[in-house]
């Protein structure tokens, strides 16, 4: 910026006061209007002469263009020029006493020598943009998304990039100039700098880009919801009609996330495909989100909205679901989608009003980018939680199948995301907790826009009956250690932390607690099998029927290529199972899978007697290189009968998860087959096309189960036969959890109509008495009656609810970790002899 006027050689033309004051209301000039508290006159105008390029575009030659600029400068000399802005070729001119802004601006513009002359407004801290068509963007207004109030808080971080997976973009558009990142051409898998074409094959992509990230507050056109966000075009098609393969769509979405883009936006059909779900899950592992349009068929979409993809329907300006928009339990939420004014690709200043969930999708993607701009530390799930929780509830109260979580609201999202006090959890958030208690959670509170108050830390926990405070200590000012108390085994524990600022306001983490919390299961994972493949342990490489000509499975230290891993997955060691070892420096396709299928089979695992085992393995799969990429897949199956029959666990590829990289997959065995004593897995990699490079690898297989430490219930001790010809047997319903207090003792196969008693002891013994065997001892407390007489009735069975809050004697109060023994004594006159007998015994180790 220069404070001196450029040296000029010109003939000055002086405006007379009469010219400035004359009535020119019919000359097409639009007077400027002050808005007190928002835009007010300052007595200064900002004037920019017609630029040379524009003058030439008008048909003037270079000499005439210079003359036009000289004319503009001569007019400026009639005013006091206080500043020249070299970078933008703008002049700030001070008006004299009695000269009005509109009069001076009208007179200067009437010369035809200026691009614009406008007040140097006095502005106030509001964030509504000055874009010329902003008022036509109904969805930003105060009765819908409250965007201006949201922009008061945050206008977007250019480092937060939205990947628009679409038909290309008009890179010269006046409203898409800021923060554009290098594009990508999915059909050729080529980045823009390497020749990938991202120009608009159809207008759709330019429209979507403007909806998400059209440049705001730049004086022209419209504003995207995230006007300062970065945006990247991932062109998905070369078809002028816009049609794109699902594999190109998912490739584009993945590639954007792999490049570090926080959100991938896809405004296409196909959202209910399994490949989309797999892609969404993978993208979340990269710290990003996948947003997809619900579609425009006015149909209810079945499925689970709590999946890995955010599916978006459309609303209209009356805040009702757009008549064309899909809806139903698969749709997460709604965003404006009818009559959306956005950028178009006809020319660099082209705009259009368009309708469809295609535009609801990038608007939502922009919202997610805005949330990440406000707090870059958020996880994808936290961003989704904030997005959902900040929606305006439409339709039926709460989540419904017409509007899902409701219609997005920028102001609410920004207020939720920008926290005056920051709470950072220093511990790893637990997935499992010891039911006996004692696990710890450490967190630090620091200043944001407010100052935290030491000693105000809070820790809240619930196992299903409401939140209550749990133990917490302050290690140092604003540094806390919380301790989990005992919880019923198998229960889901919800928890959150909080602290106050010096003004007494309490802030929570997660920020939307207690409506959104963390959770863990009160069970201890127990390793059943853990194989890092460093030694041979019963795996089978190759089975009858395999027909791959090269690339058979083997175990070793792989030599890395663009398709094959260089390192195994294990933190230590180098061995894994992989398909075919090439030579050092060999070609990409040397000894890859060719000509058919190769199979790897795991050892057999005995999973009987377990609660609910989970299998987990790390896999690598690549088929995106070579002359014809993307044609093949790898299938993983499970058998519970030693290979007699197989059920599918997952199919990797031909597009999802097929670009290499170690990816973990876990599943409950019971969700596919019944756990048995002979469970196996097999991994089948195939090359069934021509020209593709197929490589696969497997490492770090583990099987875990869930336990309550030493808690458990089991039968012991023999029972004597009774008059029924069989033995009375103890059983149970419920659990051994003291907090749950739901254990019910049972005994069956009793003589009918006989009286009996449940007895209890902390000890065991074997004493022949009556017609049976007393299995309880008396070395500590002896044995005692648990309750009064019960009758076996016509069914020959009895039950008793063991109320741990009301022991028969004080010494019989059970505690977590203790083992107690129970038995049933009963009359049996029909059997003769002593006329009484005992059931077998039941040992119960109690959990918290």
């Amino acid at each position: 910026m220069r404070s001196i006027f450029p040296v000029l050689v010109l003939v000055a033309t002086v405006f007379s006061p009469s010219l400035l004051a004359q009535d020119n209301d019919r000359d097409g000039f639009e007077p400027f209007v002050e808005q007190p508290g928002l835009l007010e006159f300052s007595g200064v105008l900002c004037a920019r002469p017609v630029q040379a390029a524009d003058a030439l575009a008008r048909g003037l030659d270079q000499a005439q263009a210079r003359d036009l600029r000289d004319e503009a400068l001569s007019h400026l000399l009639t005013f006091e020029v206080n500043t020249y802005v070299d970078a933008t070729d703008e002049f700030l001119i001070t008006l004299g006493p009695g000269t009005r802004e509109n009069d001076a601006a009208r007179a200067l513009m009437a010369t035809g020598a200026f691009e614009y002359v406008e007040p140097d407004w006095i502005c106030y801290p509001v964030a509504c943009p000055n874009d010329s068509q902003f008022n036509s963007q109904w969805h930003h207004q105060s009765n819908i998304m409250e965007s201006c109030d949201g922009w008061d808080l945050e206008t977007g971080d250019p480092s937060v990039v939205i990947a628009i997976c679409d038909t290309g973009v008009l890179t010269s558009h006046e409203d898409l100039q800021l923060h554009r990142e290098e594009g990508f051409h999915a059909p050729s898998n080529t980045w823009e700098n390497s020749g990938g074409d991202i120009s608009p094959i159809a207008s759709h992509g330019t429209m979507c880009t403007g909806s998400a990230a059209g440049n705001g507050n730049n004086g022209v056109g419209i504003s995207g919801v995230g006007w300062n966000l970065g945006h990247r075009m991932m062109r998905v098609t070369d078809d002028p009609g816009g049609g794109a393969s699902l594999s190109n769509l998912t490739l584009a979405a993945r590639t954007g996330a792999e490049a570090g883009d926080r959100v991938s936006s896809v405004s296409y059909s196909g959202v209910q495909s399994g490949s989309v779900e797999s892609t969404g899950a993978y993208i979340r592992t990269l710290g990003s989100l996948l947003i997809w349009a619900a579609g425009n068929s006015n149909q209810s979409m079945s499925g689970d909205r709590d999946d890995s993809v955010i599916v978006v329907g459309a609303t209209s300006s009356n805040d009702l679901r757009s008549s064309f928009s899909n809806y139903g339990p698969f749709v997460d939420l709604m965003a404006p989608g009818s009559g959306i004014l956005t950028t178009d690709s006809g020319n660099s200043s082209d705009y259009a009003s368009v309708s469809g969930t295609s535009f609801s999708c990038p608007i939502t993607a922009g919202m997610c980018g805005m949330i990440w701009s406000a707090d870059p530390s958020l996880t994808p799930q936290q961003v989704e939680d904030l997005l959902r929780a900040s929606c305006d509830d439409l339709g039926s109260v709460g989540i419904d199948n017409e509007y899902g979580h409701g219609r997005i609201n920028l102001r609410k999202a920004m207020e939720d995301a920008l926290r005056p006090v920051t709470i950072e959890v220093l511990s790893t958030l637990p997935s499992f907790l010891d039911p006996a208690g004692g696990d710890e959670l450490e967190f630090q509170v620091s200043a944001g826009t407010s100052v935290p108050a030491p000693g105000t830390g809070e820790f809240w926990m619930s196992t299903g009956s409401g939140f209550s405070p749990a133990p917490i200590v302050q290690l140092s000012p604003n540094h806390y250690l919380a301790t989990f108390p005992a919880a019923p085994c198998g229960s889901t524990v919800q928890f959150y932390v909080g602290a106050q600022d010096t003004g007494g306001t309490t802030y929570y983490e997660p920020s939307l607690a207690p409506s959104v919390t963390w959770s863990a299961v009160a069970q201890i994972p127990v390793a059943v099998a853990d194989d890092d493949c460093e030694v041979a342990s019963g795996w089978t490489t190759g089975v009858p029927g395999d027909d791959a000509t090269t690339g058979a499975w083997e175990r070793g230290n792989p030599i890395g290529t663009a398709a094959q891993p260089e390192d195994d997955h294990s933190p230590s060691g180098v061995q894994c199972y992989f398909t075919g070892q090439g030579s050092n420096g060999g070609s990409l396709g040397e000894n890859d899978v060719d000509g058919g299928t190769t199979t790897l089979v795991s050892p057999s695992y005995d999973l009987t007697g377990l609660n609910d085992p989970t299998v987990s393995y790390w896999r690598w799969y690549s088929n995106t290189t070579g002359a014809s990429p993307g044609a093949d897949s790898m299938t993983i199956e499970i058998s519970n009968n030693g290979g007699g029959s197989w059920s599918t666990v997952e199919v990797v590829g031909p597009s999802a998860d097929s670009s290499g990289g170690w990816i973990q997959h876990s599943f409950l065995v019971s969700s596919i087959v019944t756990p048995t004593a002979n469970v196996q897995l097999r991994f089948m990699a195939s090359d069934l096309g021509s020209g593709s490079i197929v490589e696969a690898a497997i490492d770090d297989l583990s099987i875990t189960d869930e336990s309550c430490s030493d808690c458990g219930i089991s039968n012991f001790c023999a029972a004597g036969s009774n008059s029924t010809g069989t033995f009375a047997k103890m059983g149970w319903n419920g659990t051994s959890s003291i907090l749950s207090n739901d254990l019910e003792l049972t005994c069956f196969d009793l003589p009918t109509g006989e009286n009996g008693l449940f007895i209890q002891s902390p000890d065991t013994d074997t004493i022949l008495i009556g017609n049976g065997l007393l299995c309880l001892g008396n070395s500590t407390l002896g044995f005692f009656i648990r309750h009064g007489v019960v009758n076996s009735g016509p069914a020959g069975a009895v039950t008793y609810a063991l109320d741990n809050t009301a022991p028969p004697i004080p010494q019989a109060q059970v505690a977590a970790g203790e083992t107690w023994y129970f038995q049933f004594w009963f009359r049996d006159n029909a059997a003769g002899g002593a006329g009484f007998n005992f059931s077998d015994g039941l040992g119960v180790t109690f959990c918290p």
Side-chain angles (χ1 to χ4, degrees), residues 185 189 457:
H185 184 250
N189 201 5

Side-chain angles (χ1 to χ4, degrees), residues 360-383:
S360 309
C361 176
I363 288 173
T364 303
M367 273 277 288
C368 292
M370 291 288 286
I371 293 171
W372 255 313
S373 297
D375 187 349
S377 69
L378 294 172
T379 66
Q381 187 59 55
Q382 288 172 324
V383 170

Side-chain angles (χ1 to χ4, degrees), residues 18 35 75 82 98 114 185 241 252 266 269 298 306 315 363 408 420 522 563 580 645 712 740 758 776 779 785 824:
S18 60
Q35 300 177 58
H75 295 315
N82 60 57
F114 291 90
H185 184 250
V266 184
S269 58
N298 188 27
D306 294 319
T315 54
I363 288 173
I408 61 174
S645 60
S740 295
F758 282 101
L776 273 55
S779 59
I785 298 170
F824 191 69

Side-chain angles (χ1 to χ4, degrees), residues 432 521 523-526 610-614 668 704-708:
F432 297 94
V521 178
Q523 287 182 327
I524 300 174
V526 177
L610 303 179
N611 292 320
D612 201 3
T614 295
L668 286 171
T704 58
D705 195 27
E706 297 170 356
S707 169
C708 296

Side-chain angles (χ1 to χ4, degrees), residues 781-792:
L781 292 177
F783 59 86
F784 46 85
I785 298 170
R786 184 66 204 193
H787 70 98
V789 174
V790 293
N791 190 276
S792 62

